[in-house]
Amino acid sequence: GRAVRMSASRRDALGAAFAAALAVPATANAVAGTAGGVERDFFNGNAIFKEDYYYKFGKLPPIPLEDAREALDSLKEAYNLPFVRTQIRYDAYNKYADRIKASFAAYDGPLKKAVDSSNWAQVAELAGEKGDVRRGLRAAGMFSTTALSPDSITNEARLVAFYINELNFQLMDMVTAAGAKDSTAAVASYKRGRDCINSYVFFINQVINDKVGDKFEKI
């Protein structure tokens, strides 16, 4: 089937519903956009994907997202998810899924082990810009934007992009914690990053069916 373009009024209504249903007070998630040392700049310029939920609404969605399951179900019932043709989702999945899975596996495997054992050299390497985890973050955002945006970027795609950006900030915080040999900070950032991965998986799996590919697994 062909994607149906959403009217401006419907898009505005959905935006208002997202802001009302999902936003939580900033104090619930510490500073704007992060739990630790790395903060988003005013224009979200230090995020991987500038157009995310925080940039659009100036508020934070829940972390983990499953805490808002009831609100999400209500939104989906009222507005449905954006319709993107199966072939487009299939092609995007085949292009990006392997990189996404490898990134999440690296987070849940080698990086977790390094954080748990306070192996600071490995934490800095694995969470760094050239580490296996960060290699898959752009792929994760590209897949979700393609799979959730039939024409222009949707609020659903912005929501998922928030969790990719936030995961990246937590990796940056882990590198800082490794430099300071701060186990408490490293573990806190790891846990928040894990919740971001699971939030991404929880939402994006809704648009992955048998004709698209295997659903992603939580960590």
Side-chain angles (χ1 to χ4, degrees), residues 19 23 34 37 40 44 58-61 90 106 109 135 141-142 150 157 176 201:
T34 73
R40 295 167 187 259
N44 222 23
K59 299 177 181 179
L60 305 175
Y90 173 83
R135 288 196 188 106
M142 293 299 292
T176 300
V201 170

Side-chain angles (χ1 to χ4, degrees), residues 32-33 42 44 82 96 104 110 114 120-121 163 197 205-206 218:
F42 184 76
N44 222 23
Y96 297 118
F104 294 171
W120 302 123
Y163 294 107
I197 289 176
N205 273 349
Q206 296 178 96
K218 294 180 182 178

Side-chain angles (χ1 to χ4, degrees), residues 30 87 106-107 132 152 199-200 215:
Q87 186 64 50
Y107 194 93
D132 290 340
S152 58
S199 296
Y200 175 93
K215 293 182 183 294

Side-chain angles (χ1 to χ4, degrees), residues 8-219:
S9 60
R10 185 172 175 80
R11 195 183 303 277
D12 289 344
L14 180 56
F18 255 80
L22 297 182
V24 296
T27 53
N29 282 331
V31 298
T34 73
V38 180
E39 297 186 23
R40 295 167 187 259
D41 66 29
F42 184 76
F43 296 104
N44 222 23
N46 56 347
I48 298 176
F49 299 97
K50 182 176 179 178
E51 284 241 6
D52 70 357
Y53 182 97
Y54 180 76
Y55 179 79
K56 172 72 173 178
F57 298 113
K59 299 177 181 179
L60 305 175
I63 300 176
L65 182 57
E66 281 194 79
D67 287 351
R69 181 187 290 271
E70 186 175 337
L72 285 168
D73 287 345
S74 297
L75 284 172
K76 189 164 64 172
E77 183 177 343
Y79 295 98
N80 298 318
L81 287 171
F83 176 73
V84 175
R85 289 188 295 112
T86 300
Q87 186 64 50
I88 293 175
R89 284 179 281 144
Y90 173 83
D91 290 344
Y93 183 92
N94 277 276
K95 182 176 182 179
Y96 297 118
D98 285 347
R99 278 180 277 170
I100 298 169
K101 292 175 182 177
S103 173
F104 294 171
Y107 194 93
D108 191 39
L111 180 56
K112 182 179 187 300
K113 183 178 179 180
V115 170
D116 287 344
S117 63
S118 298
N119 187 328
W120 302 123
Q122 278 204 323
V123 171
E125 179 181 351
L126 294 168
E129 291 185 14
K130 296 182 179 179
D132 290 340
V133 179
R134 288 213 215 179
R135 288 196 188 106
L137 299 191
R138 191 166 293 279
M142 293 299 292
F143 172 67
S144 58
T145 298
T146 302
L148 289 167
S149 299
D151 41 48
S152 58
I153 188 169
T154 61
N155 289 316
E156 289 86 351
R158 291 186 179 99
L159 175 66
V160 177
F162 169 85
Y163 294 107
I164 296 300
N165 285 335
E166 183 66 14
L167 172 58
N168 186 55
F169 287 132
Q170 298 313 310
L171 290 166
M172 294 164 71
D173 281 348
M174 273 184 255
V175 172
T176 300
K181 297 183 179 181
D182 187 338
S183 181
T184 300
V187 170
S189 290
Y190 178 86
K191 288 180 177 178
R192 188 172 171 88
R194 176 200 60 201
D195 287 345
C196 289
I197 289 176
N198 289 337
S199 296
Y200 175 93
V201 170
F202 169 69
F203 198 88
I204 201 63
N205 273 349
Q206 296 178 96
V207 296
I208 300 173
N209 57 26
D210 293 341
K211 294 181 179 179
V212 174
D214 295 329
K215 293 182 183 294
F216 296 115
E217 294 184 2
K218 294 180 182 178
I219 64 172

